[in-house]
Amino acid sequence: MAEDYQVSSELMELTEEKLEKIGQEHTRIAGNNYFRENRIKNQMVWGRTIVAELGGSGKEAYKIQVDVTEEKITSTCNCPYGGSYCKHAFALLYTWIRAQNTFKRLENIEFILSKKSTYELTTILLEMVKKDPSIIQELHIDEKYLYETSQEKSKRYEDFYRVSSPGMQQTQELIERLRKFHDAAINYINQENHHDAAKVLQAVILKGLEKYGEVDDSTGILSDFLEECLHLYSGCLLRTLKTLEEKKDIFKQIFELYIKETHGFAHSMMELITGNCNVHLEYQFVEEMCKGKLTGLYASEPDKIVEYDREKVIELLLEVYHREGKDDKFISLARQEMDSWRICLRLCDKLESLNRIDEAVRYYKRAVEDGTGKYPKLLMQKKLAELYENHNHKEQALETYISYFDERDDLGIYEKIKKLSGEINTWENTRNKLLISLSKAGKCHTLIDALLKEGDINSCIKLAMMPNQSTKDINRVANAIKTVKPKESITLFKKLINYYITLKRREDYKVAAEYMKDVKDIYSQLDEKQNWEKYIKRLIKQNAKKRVLVEEISPLV
């Protein structure tokens, strides 16, 4: 069954270059900002599909799905403003391309669930129902069993609707108050009265930012609500502000909020400013604001300008140059601010877009080799490898990916190394070096993953039989070799059974019983019923004093 969920080659080979051919630039930029802010949550992958959630203004997150085939990329999202390629879909796509190791794989989930006992699965489902009662509709339960005595029903509702913390209640109350004005702004928008809608939304945003640090927003509901208000506010400004004079005051207000912002809304505010610039004079005004801030001319208290504020101003100035196409100014400024790793990344991306590959390589190498700790070495190393790969420098890409893999044993990178070394006919030698490196470093989990993909069953068995090996890895190997090495599979399952029996807890006895079912099935396929009966009877006899265990395994005789 798990084979149906294996990630497709179309997804594995998806690149940012392909994304440039779909959607609109401003939507891609917004999606990229969401990626940089780590807004994508609960991401999962199977086959040609990636899904995730990203907080919206309501209580429920936006649900995004992207399907990638050889012919096209399609996306769906339940947000009210996205077309076929909304900013949330691009955030998911950028997350997949740049951080595949953050995606849960459905093939692994199916495998793990298949090994859980009925008791464990029931417990999991009940906890899910407590958090989301609508799941009951998906379980195909006869409704007559849902209506019990008043006492039982009261208990059920008590479990379903737990009282939140005082801090969370304050957040909910704040959102409810703000939502009344948000809804009024929506009514104005529906009436094409964007001027009044902008005024209302501005007030909502200012009050929300003022109160943000005083309430508990651990769920992200308030931040999502404010993000949506900022998005709506930007749309209203686009429709109401036509001249530079009309925009100056708004730009100044947003700029002051932007440089003081500490709650994660900086990129949305940057988008508010730059997204409303359409002509040179407007970009020039924002540029002068930034330069004035940097030189102290714009600040009321220049001595209090801190480095963090400076970096935000630099990023806004770079965005202005990027949008207006002033590449020389962009590169010159970024070079002066290379102490920031974020600006280093922006510079390298810009150089790559201009096909100035050697320069980008030089800056990436400088960052990787820097010993001060101001650059995230692994991120820079991965970006350098991707740069090499994107421009067909296969040997350099391979060397850099191997260096990255030595530090972080990412199976996705292993696949890239396999692909590249196969293209230049060095895979066998490279593979042996990687496996030896993993073995010396004691990274058995990744090593088993790699060996299973390579079909090296004997090495997997040898690893799984080692002392102190994790039960998860033993289980994976035992299941992988059921048909090709049934005897060895039985040995591994018995190892798991013995381990769980020694824990002496009912829940562990249940797990042991589930593994015994695997052993029984394999003996049955081998037509060795007598061997199974000898094994189970001997086990019961050896553990006769463990009444709970005997209760669990006796039905298997």
Side-chain angles (χ1 to χ4, degrees):
M1 187 175 185
E3 291 182 0
D4 298 331
Y5 301 137
Q6 289 184 350
V7 182
S8 69
S9 58
E10 290 90 350
L11 260 180
M12 293 301 298
E13 294 167 7
L14 187 63
T15 64
E16 293 186 28
E17 289 179 344
K18 293 180 181 178
L19 300 193
E20 297 295 326
K21 299 176 183 178
I22 62 175
Q24 298 179 347
E25 184 180 9
H26 71 88
T27 312
R28 290 196 296 271
I29 291 171
N32 187 41
N33 288 338
Y34 276 158
F35 162 76
R36 292 170 65 184
E37 294 170 2
N38 196 29
R39 298 290 299 279
I40 287 290
K41 304 296 180 187
N42 299 324
Q43 54 266 43
M44 188 163 60
V45 58
W46 70 88
R48 297 185 174 91
T49 301
I50 50 177
V51 297
E53 294 180 345
L54 191 151
S57 62
K59 293 183 179 179
E60 293 190 11
Y62 293 141
K63 299 184 185 300
I64 319 146
Q65 176 170 325
V66 176
D67 297 281
V68 179
T69 65
E70 290 182 358
E71 297 79 22
K72 61 182 179 179
I73 300 172
T74 57
S75 69
T76 57
C77 178
N78 63 341
C79 70
Y81 307 104
S84 56
Y85 302 111
C86 65
K87 59 185 178 181
H88 310 114
F90 277 110
L92 174 56
L93 284 162
Y94 282 123
T95 304
W96 168 252
I97 291 171
R98 299 172 183 172
Q100 291 182 12
N101 62 340
T102 66
F103 281 73
K104 299 179 180 71
R105 296 187 176 233
L106 196 60
E107 60 185 301
N108 295 337
I109 296 172
E110 187 273 336
F111 177 78
I112 293 166
L113 290 177
S114 71
K115 294 294 105 186
K116 289 191 177 294
S117 66
T118 303
Y119 173 81
E120 289 175 300
L121 291 173
T122 302
T123 302
I124 292 168
L125 282 172
L126 284 174
E127 289 301 317
M128 291 171 64
V129 168
K130 288 177 185 178
K131 295 175 182 177
D132 183 6
S134 65
I135 292 174
I136 294 173
Q137 299 172 14
E138 305 296 324
L139 299 180
H140 305 291
I141 299 173
D142 191 331
E143 286 196 10
K144 67 183 180 183
Y145 296 113
L146 300 179
Y147 303 97
E148 301 165 354
T149 66
S150 58
Q151 293 86 353
E152 291 169 333
K153 186 175 181 180
S154 175
K155 177 68 166 59
R156 185 188 298 276
Y157 274 86
E158 188 178 317
D159 289 340
F160 284 167
Y161 304 104
R162 298 184 184 277
V163 177
S164 59
S165 67
M168 194 69 71
Q169 287 179 330
Q170 290 176 1
T171 308
Q172 293 166 353
E173 290 168 4
L174 174 62
I175 291 174
E176 289 306 313
R177 291 200 301 271
L178 295 178
R179 188 175 294 283
K180 293 177 182 178
F181 296 97
H182 168 278
D183 293 344
I186 294 293
N187 287 334
Y188 280 133
I189 291 171
N190 292 336
Q191 297 166 19
E192 299 293 324
N193 184 355
H194 296 97
H195 183 270
D196 287 337
K199 287 184 177 180
V200 174
L201 287 165
Q202 184 185 49
V204 171
I205 293 165
L206 290 173
K207 181 57 70 174
L209 292 174
E210 176 190 334
K211 296 290 186 181
Y212 192 85
E214 302 174 11
V215 297
D216 178 2
D217 191 37
S218 56
T219 62
I221 293 174
L222 179 56
S223 63
D224 294 336
F225 173 79
L226 291 176
E227 284 279 8
E228 202 59 67
C229 289
L230 285 163
H231 177 74
L232 289 169
Y233 183 49
S234 179
C236 291
L237 293 183
L238 277 172
R239 291 169 173 83
T240 56
L241 303 180
K242 302 300 181 184
T243 68
L244 175 58
E245 292 304 314
E246 291 176 319
K247 294 181 180 182
K248 279 184 178 180
D249 287 340
I250 294 293
F251 282 169
K252 288 178 182 178
Q253 291 174 26
I254 300 171
F255 182 70
E256 283 299 323
L257 289 173
Y258 169 75
I259 59 176
K260 297 173 184 176
E261 210 289 311
T262 58
H263 300 303
F265 301 103
H267 285 293
S268 294
M269 292 178 180
M270 182 193 296
E271 177 74 18
L272 258 178
I273 296 172
T274 56
N276 280 281
C277 291
N278 299 307
V279 298
H280 171 67
L281 287 176
E282 294 168 358
Y283 284 113
Q284 186 179 48
F285 178 77
V286 178
E287 180 183 8
E288 289 170 356
M289 275 201 308
C290 292
K291 287 183 175 179
K293 186 68 177 178
L294 293 171
T295 58
L297 297 176
Y298 188 78
S300 57
E301 298 177 280
D303 293 338
K304 292 189 177 180
I305 298 177
V306 296
E307 187 64 26
Y308 180 70
D309 285 339
R310 175 184 174 81
E311 184 173 325
K312 288 164 72 176
V313 176
I314 294 296
E315 287 208 7
L316 176 56
L317 197 48
L318 288 173
E319 188 66 18
V320 167
Y321 292 151
H322 170 71
R323 287 182 178 245
E324 202 177 7
K326 293 185 175 180
D327 295 333
D328 290 341
K329 281 191 171 185
F330 183 105
I331 292 170
S332 175
L333 176 61
R335 281 174 173 163
Q336 296 171 35
E337 304 294 331
M338 285 291 289
D339 278 350
S340 163
W341 66 267
R342 293 182 180 85
I343 291 174
C344 177
L345 282 179
R346 291 204 68 176
L347 174 60
C348 292
D349 286 342
K350 172 62 72 174
L351 291 170
E352 183 180 7
S353 71
L354 298 173
N355 207 32
R356 293 162 64 170
I357 308 305
D358 290 343
E359 291 179 71
V361 166
R362 188 164 65 249
Y363 285 115
Y364 274 134
K365 282 186 173 181
R366 184 185 301 176
V368 170
E369 295 165 2
D370 179 80
T372 64
K374 63 187 176 185
Y375 298 108
K377 178 182 175 182
L378 286 177
L379 174 61
M380 294 298 184
Q381 201 168 37
K382 189 176 181 182
K383 293 288 288 184
L384 175 59
E386 290 169 350
L387 177 67
Y388 281 137
E389 185 181 13
N390 291 341
H391 296 275
N392 210 32
H393 300 311
K394 295 180 181 178
E395 292 184 358
Q396 294 95 323
L398 179 60
E399 180 183 352
T400 311
Y401 275 132
I402 289 174
S403 296
Y404 177 91
F405 188 78
D406 286 341
E407 296 289 332
R408 178 171 292 175
D409 47 320
D410 183 334
L411 197 61
I413 299 299
Y414 182 90
E415 290 300 314
K416 283 182 176 287
I417 293 171
K418 179 180 178 181
K419 176 177 175 289
L420 286 167
S421 59
E423 291 173 357
I424 59 177
N425 299 316
T426 62
W427 171 234
E428 285 303 317
N429 186 42
T430 302
R431 173 185 179 274
N432 291 335
K433 288 181 179 178
L434 291 179
L435 297 182
I436 290 171
S437 174
L438 287 171
S439 181
K440 286 182 177 179
K443 298 175 179 177
C444 288
H445 181 72
T446 306
L447 182 57
I448 286 173
D449 275 337
L451 291 170
L452 285 174
K453 280 187 173 289
E454 294 302 313
D456 190 346
I457 299 300
N458 291 329
S459 296
C460 286
I461 295 171
K462 191 182 296 183
L463 277 172
M465 289 303 299
M466 289 173 60
N468 302 319
Q469 188 59 271
S470 78
T471 56
K472 180 178 179 181
D473 288 331
I474 297 171
N475 183 20
R476 286 191 306 133
V477 176
N479 276 281
I481 64 173
K482 271 183 179 180
T483 55
V484 291
K485 296 274 187 177
K487 293 287 187 182
E488 290 82 352
S489 180
I490 288 173
T491 301
L492 291 176
F493 278 125
K494 287 181 178 179
K495 183 179 180 181
L496 288 169
I497 292 165
N498 292 336
Y499 169 77
Y500 280 101
I501 288 175
T502 61
L503 297 180
K504 300 180 180 180
R505 297 178 300 188
R506 178 179 285 276
E507 57 266 34
D508 297 308
Y509 291 157
K510 290 178 180 290
V511 176
E514 290 298 315
Y515 286 126
M516 291 179 71
K517 291 178 184 177
D518 289 299
V519 174
K520 182 178 181 180
D521 289 343
I522 298 172
Y523 273 131
S524 176
Q525 292 167 12
L526 294 173
D527 199 20
E528 295 182 8
K529 186 178 179 181
Q530 289 181 340
N531 286 337
W532 161 251
E533 291 175 350
K534 287 180 183 178
Y535 169 70
I536 183 87
K537 289 177 181 178
R538 183 171 66 251
L539 200 62
I540 291 173
K541 184 177 181 180
Q542 291 171 348
N543 296 279
K545 294 182 180 181
K546 297 173 181 172
R547 181 181 55 80
V548 176
L549 173 63
V550 174
E551 286 178 6
E552 291 292 336
I553 65 177
S554 291
L556 296 173
V557 175

